Amino acid sequence: MEHHRTSGEEAKEAEETSLRALARLRPGAPVDLAAIPSDATPGFAGAKAAGRAETAAMGAELAALQERLYAAATGGDRRRLLLVLQGMDTSGKGGTVKHVAGQVNPSGCRIQAFKAPTEEERAQHFLWRVTRALPKAGEIGVFDRSHYEDVLVVRVHGLVPEPVWTRRYDEINAWERALADDGVTFVKVFLHIGHEEQRERLLARLDKPHKHWKFDAGDIEERRRWPEYQRAYAAALERCSTDAAPWYVVPADRKWYRNWAVSRLLLEHLRALDPPYPTGDFDVAAIRARLRAEKAEAKVAKAKPQAQL
Ligand code: AMP
Ligand code: MG
């Protein structure tokens, strides 16, 4: 007998085959980054050309969904999305920002890169500067680095005493939880790049004088601390992947896959939000009639002799 699937069953199946389900780190599950290949392409069976084509094909729907999110906010919908990008140097955070921003209307985006904190920022709680940079209702926010630096670089370099950074995991979870309750959809992406791939990308930067501005002698020192960073990342991913704000791991050795995966994750989250266009609070028929009448009135006015004016 033929079985007609209900929309609930279809939604369940879509969720199970989604990249969201595939790339998400389960809350509390141990994270072993060495066991996750950085050159894999989970969820995508094809090669580069097909990946690029599929990414391009997602653009129109992404843009349409972003417009709906923005429109919904004008009707009082408080929801907004925050893409958090973390990853080692050269993992492609900047490239991802460029790619994502290029797919949607930049007016609806709020993009913020986080560098070493300024003196003013250091005087505040570590969540102060990220709170200020949050997207407003209807916006898509993108963080290039984030509050996670405060348990990554800060932990690796011991920039604050251990008891201080240790309690930050719980502080982050509570902060994200409160925001999620207030309508923020978190899409936290760890761009997972391999040690050898980073070496090649750093060498490529050196080969191109027009890329030297991106090069920081300190990057080499940071590279030496790779194992410590991997441990710090594993701890952050493990302790801060929550139901309210899960982490997604995106293998990032292949740029085309990274772009596909981040676009795909955004698309799946925006589809799930399904923002409604607000209904206008005006009388469409009456206004239409008035605009139509303008032309008729103009004709009458033109027909009248000057003397009468
Ligand atoms: P880039 O993203 O290459 O422009 O580099 C930004 C630098 O800022 C990186 O070296 C980060 O580790 C550093 N940074 C970002 N946030 C923090 C923070 N909260 N504390 C210390 N350094 C940070
Ligand atoms: Mg850098």
Side-chain angles (χ1 to χ4, degrees), residues 23-86:
R24 172 190 265 135
L25 293 174
R26 273 180 301 112
V31 173
D32 179 8
L33 289 177
I36 305 174
S38 54
D39 62 349
T41 63
F44 193 81
K48 183 173 178 172
R52 280 189 168 167
E54 207 179 287
T55 305
M58 279 187 259
E61 192 184 347
L62 263 178
L65 282 163
Q66 183 215 21
E67 190 187 83
R68 271 167 55 193
L69 186 68
Y70 196 84
T74 69
D77 195 326
R78 293 205 21 84
R79 292 179 299 170
R80 50 236 196 261
L81 186 146
L82 178 60
L83 174 66
V84 173
L85 296 170
Q86 283 290 164

Side-chain angles (χ1 to χ4, degrees), residues 17 28 72 79 96 176 196 213 237 244 261 281 290 303:
T17 58
R79 292 179 299 170
T96 306
E176 291 179 353
E196 175 57 21
W213 65 273
L237 298 173
D281 56 359
R290 243 171 67 192

Side-chain angles (χ1 to χ4, degrees), residues 5-15:
R5 296 186 314 157
T6 63
S7 63
E9 281 172 328
E10 272 171 23
K12 189 158 173 270
E13 186 181 300
E15 179 55 31

Side-chain angles (χ1 to χ4, degrees), residues 11 34 60 84-85 88 101 109 139 143 147 159 176 188 200-201 212-213 245 262 266 278 288:
V84 173
L85 296 170
M88 295 296 288
C109 283
E139 289 180 337
F143 282 2
H147 45 300
L159 300 180
E176 291 179 353
K188 302 189 295 190
E200 282 166 22
R201 289 188 186 181
H212 285 183
W213 65 273
V262 176
L266 288 176
R288 184 185 288 129

Side-chain angles (χ1 to χ4, degrees), residues 1 6 10 15 25 57 68-69 101 113 118 132-133 135 141 149 169 177 223 225 227 235-236 253 259 266 287:
M1 217 177 76
T6 63
E10 272 171 23
E15 179 55 31
L25 293 174
R68 271 167 55 193
L69 186 68
T118 62
R132 292 210 309 174
E149 290 296 329
Y169 299 98
R177 175 66 214 252
R223 180 173 164 76
R225 296 173 184 260
D253 282 2
N259 286 342
L266 288 176
I287 293 177

